[in-house]
């Protein structure tokens, strides 16, 4: 039952006394006291208890009502001079005041506030503030403006605003620059990382390190300084003190430094430094911009006499590194002496510290991991040879014997060279000499010819032959090589070619015959030199050769068929380029015939022999370069080729039979186990970035 709201005294104070009063009656009383207009949602039902022991100012009547409604799960939304009382869950969709700065109103008014952060991330701040927001109200982050949009009660928004102001602060640790006067900043940073950064990370295994323990150290080679940034000022002071303690003058005569290279070749880096310091145009280790020539070896066979020395057999020189020896010659320039130790892939530098600091900065930029190029090639040589021959030959021998003084009549036609297997005279002497194909003839006994003997009386011979040869030489070689380094693959035979010979003549004694032989590779040869451009495409210098032995019976030497291609192309990464496609087509048409008679239609075919041959050859080369910049890409390519070989090996294995099992199956490749990725080693002078 609602009690009277009380009488307003002269000092503008009222006494509120509502016990088990209906919400509608309380709202009506407040409307009369404050003069506000209220709209009540039909879903708003319940009773309110408000008791004031003393009179309260008229200005507190409306806030008191809002607090009572909030306890019942309802909220008041002020819009255009009207206060709407709705359930709290629907209040955020009914409009209301929007504040972009501080919240000037108080109490349990529903307000939407936009807070723009200056330093911290708005998206990360949402997780911190979400538990502080009323469950029926909302908080969201707008990353583009790094702002928070919060809809909640005014009093709670003031508290959240104070919390955000205390958290949205600039980083405590400012970057300081510590100059290094005597030592090398690049050499000091790895030592400081092991002393300061790594122990801090090890204290929290499996989790993120403490914010106050984070520190970053970066070397600046140009000014020979170290940049220090730490969240804790004490950590920064400690790092500065440690740098100053390590930055002491070197001992007299103790200016010899050893730099172990991780990626570059020590001999090449030494040559680059020689050219830099001396200004001389020293040729690099591999000065050729194209592909290296095809090597060949020359040998001499036979026995040499006392007056003739045998030519030595050429052999490739063995590099010093293969023998485990140390290295390239040292040089002195610009006050520094530099030598390369190829056995340990290290540089030895004797120089004053300022000169060494400059050289160290250059060496670190040269000692980077070079990218690799994986080249997949598909080589197809398609050849087709087709030949056809057709002819009729005949001969007439009147008697069974041509001996004596009797007059005999003979005649006939014979085409084709003797010994070729197509001539009728050869077939008469020995019927087994007839070449392959369809051979049809008529034999009438035998004939005895003086000086020759008895031969078969072959009166008629018809030959028909058609041959067709097609070949598809397909190869899929793959190469993996460093950027700007040549790679070569040869699949074939090493065939000897006679290049010279000597034999004794007359009565010369003491000198034995001999001959010189040059061996050459015959088969499939692919040489590629890739160069990765700045845009990511690959420039390929290509030499492709497909050769085979064609004839070994030629008196002048071995005859080989060779199809080669040499070109320079630019291909995008993981794209395919096709080269070749040159079609070689040859046609041979030979006709042997009797004059005039052989040209008569139909009947003339009895007096002629036709031989036709056509040969076509086409060479196509497909190349696909893939740039490999890290170990993950290389492992994926290797695994793919390995699985392909495993599948081909399994398909090549013959199936077992019921009563027979292969006693010697092909050896199976062991399963490939990908090694775990090695932890990345930061380059000298680098440190984990602060988050």
């Amino acid at each position: 039952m609602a009690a009277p709201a009380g009488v307003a005294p002269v000092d503008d104070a009222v006494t509120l006394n509502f016990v088990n009063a209906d919400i509608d009656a309380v709202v009506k009383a407040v409307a009369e006291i404050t003069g506000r207009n209220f709209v009540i949602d039909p879903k708003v039902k319940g009773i309110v208890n408000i008791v004031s022991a003393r009179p309260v100012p008229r200005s507190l009547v409306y806030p008191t009502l809002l607090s009572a409604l909030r306890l019942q799960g309802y909220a008041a939304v002020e819009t255009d001079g009207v206060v709407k009382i709705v359930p709290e869950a629907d209040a955020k969709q009914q409009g209301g005041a929007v504040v972009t700065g501080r919240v000037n109103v108080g109490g349990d008014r529903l307000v939407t506030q936009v807070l723009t952060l200056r330093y911290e991330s708005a998206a990360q701040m949402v997780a911190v503030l979400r538990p502080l927001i009323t469950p029926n109200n909302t908080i969201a982050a707008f990353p583009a403006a790094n702002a928070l949009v919060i809809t909640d009660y005014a009093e709670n928004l003031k508290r959240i605003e104070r919390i955000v102001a205390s958290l949205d602060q600039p980083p405590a640790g400012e970057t300081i620059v510590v100059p290094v006067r005597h030592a090398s900043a690049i050499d000091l940073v790895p030592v400081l990382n092991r002393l300061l950064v790594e122990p801090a990370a090890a204290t929290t295994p499996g989790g993120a390190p403490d914010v106050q323990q984070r520190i970053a150290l970066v070397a600046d080679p140009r000014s020979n300084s170290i940049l220090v940034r730490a969240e804790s000022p004490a950590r920064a002071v400690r790092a500065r003190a440690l740098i100053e303690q390590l930055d002491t003058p070197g001992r007299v005569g103790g200016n010899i430094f050893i730099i172990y290279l991780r990626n570059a070749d020590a001999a090449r880096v030494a040559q680059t430094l020689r050219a830099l310091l001396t200004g001389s145009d020293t040729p690099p280790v591999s000065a050729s911009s194209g592909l290296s020539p095809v090597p060949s070896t020359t040998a001499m066979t036979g026995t040499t006499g006392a007056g003739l020395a045998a030519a030595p057999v050429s052999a490739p020189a063995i590099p010093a590194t293969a023998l485990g020896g140390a290295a390239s010659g040292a040089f002195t320039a610009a006050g520094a002496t530099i030598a390369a130790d190829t056995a340990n892939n290290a540089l030895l530098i004797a120089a004053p510290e300022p000169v060494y600091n400059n050289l160290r900065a250059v060496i670190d930029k040269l000692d980077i991991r070079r990218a690799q190029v994986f080249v997949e090639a598909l080589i197809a040589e398609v050849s087709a040879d087709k030949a056809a021959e057709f002819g009729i030959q005949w001969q007439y021998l009147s008697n069974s014997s041509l001996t004596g003084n009797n007059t005999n009549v003979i005649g006939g036609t014979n085409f084709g060279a003797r010994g070729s297997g197509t001539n009728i005279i050869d077939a008469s002497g020995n019927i087994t000499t007839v070449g392959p194909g369809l051979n049809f003839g008529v034999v009438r006994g035998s004939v005895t010819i003086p000086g020759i003997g008895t031969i078969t009386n072959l009166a008629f011979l018809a030959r028909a032959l058609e041959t067709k040869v097609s070949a598809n030489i397909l190869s899929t070689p793959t190469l993996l090589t460093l950027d700007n380094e040549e790679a070569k693959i040869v699949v074939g035979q090493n065939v000897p070619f006679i290049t010279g010979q000597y034999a004794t003549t007359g009565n010369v004694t003491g000198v034995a015959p001999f001959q010189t032989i040059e061996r050459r590779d015959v088969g499939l040869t692919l040489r590629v030199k890739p160069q990765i451009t700045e845009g990511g495409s690959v420039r390929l210098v290509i030499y492709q050769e497909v050769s085979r032995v064609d004839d070994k019976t030629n008196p002048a030497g071995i005859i080989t068929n060779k199809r080669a291609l040499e070109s320079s192309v630019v291909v995008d990464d993981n794209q395919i380029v096709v080269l070749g496609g040159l079609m070689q087509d040859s046609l041979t048409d030979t006709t042997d015939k009797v004059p005039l008679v052989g040209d008569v239609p139909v009947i003339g075919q009895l007096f002629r022999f036709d031989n036709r041959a056509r040969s076509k050859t086409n060479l196509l080369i497909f190349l696909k370069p893939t740039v490999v910049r890290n170990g993950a890409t290389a492992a994926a390519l290797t695994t793919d080729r390995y699985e392909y070989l495993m599948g081909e090996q399994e398909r090549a294995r013959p199936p077992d039979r019921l009563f027979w099992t292969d006693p010697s199956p092909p050896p199976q490749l062991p399963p490939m186990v990908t090694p775990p990725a090695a932890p990345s080693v930061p380059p000298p002078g680098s440190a984990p970035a602060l988050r």
Side-chain angles (χ1 to χ4, degrees), residues 235-508:
R235 297 274 294 174
V237 172
R238 180 183 176 187
R240 176 191 285 273
L242 190 57
I243 293 172
E244 292 175 350
Q245 293 175 7
L246 295 176
D247 185 22
T248 58
R251 294 174 298 174
V252 178
N255 57 345
I256 299 178
F257 307 92
I258 301 177
I259 303 175
Y260 292 95
L261 303 181
R262 295 191 303 266
N263 301 291
D265 182 75
R268 293 193 176 188
V269 174
Q271 283 189 337
T272 303
L273 296 177
R274 178 195 294 267
L276 176 65
L277 297 178
T278 62
S280 60
D281 188 12
T282 304
V285 174
S286 179
S288 174
S289 60
L291 297 177
S292 62
V294 180
S296 61
T297 58
T298 303
M300 180 179 295
T301 61
T303 305
T304 59
L308 185 63
V313 178
S314 63
I318 301 176
T321 54
L323 301 177
S328 60
F331 69 93
T332 301
T337 301
I338 301 176
D341 180 14
T342 55
N344 296 307
N345 196 35
L347 291 175
L348 284 76
I349 301 177
E353 292 177 349
V355 177
Y356 166 74
N357 293 336
N358 294 333
L359 292 176
R360 183 59 189 267
V362 175
I363 293 171
D364 284 342
K365 287 181 169 56
L366 295 176
D367 187 25
I368 60 175
R369 176 171 176 170
R370 297 169 60 186
Q372 301 180 93
V373 179
F374 180 74
V375 180
E376 298 176 87
L378 175 64
I379 304 167
E381 184 184 34
V382 183
S383 60
D385 299 335
K386 187 175 182 181
E389 58 181 77
F390 179 78
I392 298 175
Q393 305 172 63
W394 56 270
Q395 62 182 357
Y396 174 75
L397 303 175
S398 61
N399 298 323
S400 61
S401 175
L402 299 181
T403 60
N405 297 324
N406 298 329
T407 301
N408 297 282
V409 178
I410 63 174
T413 60
N414 67 90
F415 303 115
R418 295 292 302 275
S420 62
T422 62
N423 193 280
I424 192 174
I425 298 177
D426 293 337
S428 298
N430 185 359
I431 199 66
T432 61
T433 61
V434 181
L438 175 63
N439 297 282
F440 177 77
V442 176
V443 179
R444 298 176 55 189
S446 61
V447 176
T448 302
I449 301 177
I452 297 178
T454 301
I455 63 173
T456 303
N457 188 2
L458 182 60
F460 176 83
L461 176 64
R463 278 184 46 78
L465 175 65
E466 181 177 359
T467 60
K468 184 177 181 181
V469 179
S470 61
N472 184 14
I473 303 175
L474 188 64
S475 179
T476 57
T478 57
L479 296 171
L480 179 63
T481 180
L482 287 173
D483 179 25
N484 212 25
E485 295 287 345
E486 179 184 333
K488 174 182 178 181
I489 183 172
V490 177
V491 180
Q493 296 177 318
N494 194 253
V495 181
F497 291 84
I498 299 176
T499 58
Q501 58 186 356
Y502 174 85
T504 58
T505 57
N507 297 325
V508 179

Side-chain angles (χ1 to χ4, degrees), residues 521-590:
D521 294 329
V522 176
L524 173 66
T525 301
L526 174 63
R527 287 186 291 145
V528 178
K529 185 176 182 181
Q531 182 180 6
I532 303 174
T533 63
E534 189 67 25
S537 58
V538 183
R539 178 179 179 268
L540 297 176
V541 181
I542 307 162
Y543 178 80
Q544 169 65 46
E545 177 183 310
V546 178
S547 59
R548 58 178 176 269
V549 177
D550 185 67
D551 187 5
K552 295 184 178 180
T553 62
N554 193 295
I558 299 176
I559 299 177
T560 59
N561 290 336
K562 175 181 176 182
R563 297 178 64 79
L565 181 146
E566 186 170 2
S567 178
S568 298
V569 297
V570 176
V571 192
D572 291 335
D573 185 17
N574 272 320
Q575 299 300 315
I576 300 176
V577 62
V578 59
L579 305 173
L582 178 62
M583 178 73 71
Q584 180 180 350
D585 191 355
S586 62
L587 175 63
T588 303
D589 189 354
T590 305

Side-chain angles (χ1 to χ4, degrees), residues 41 50 59 81 111 120 130 170 205 226 299 306-307 320 351 362 372 388 505 523 526 589 619-620 631 670 682:
D41 191 290
I50 302 176
S59 59
V111 179
E120 295 295 333
R130 173 70 68 183
I226 299 179
V362 175
Q372 301 180 93
T505 57
L526 174 63
D589 189 354
L619 177 65
L620 292 174

Side-chain angles (χ1 to χ4, degrees), residues 217-234:
L217 302 167
V218 179
D220 180 24
R222 187 186 64 83
S223 61
N224 196 34
S225 302
I226 299 179
L227 283 69
V228 181
R229 181 182 177 187
E231 295 292 341
S232 172

Side-chain angles (χ1 to χ4, degrees), residues 649-650 652-656 660-669:
Q649 186 185 43
E650 188 64 27
R653 182 177 181 179
D656 295 336
W660 179 83
T661 303
D662 188 3
S664 59
Q668 296 294 314
L669 295 174

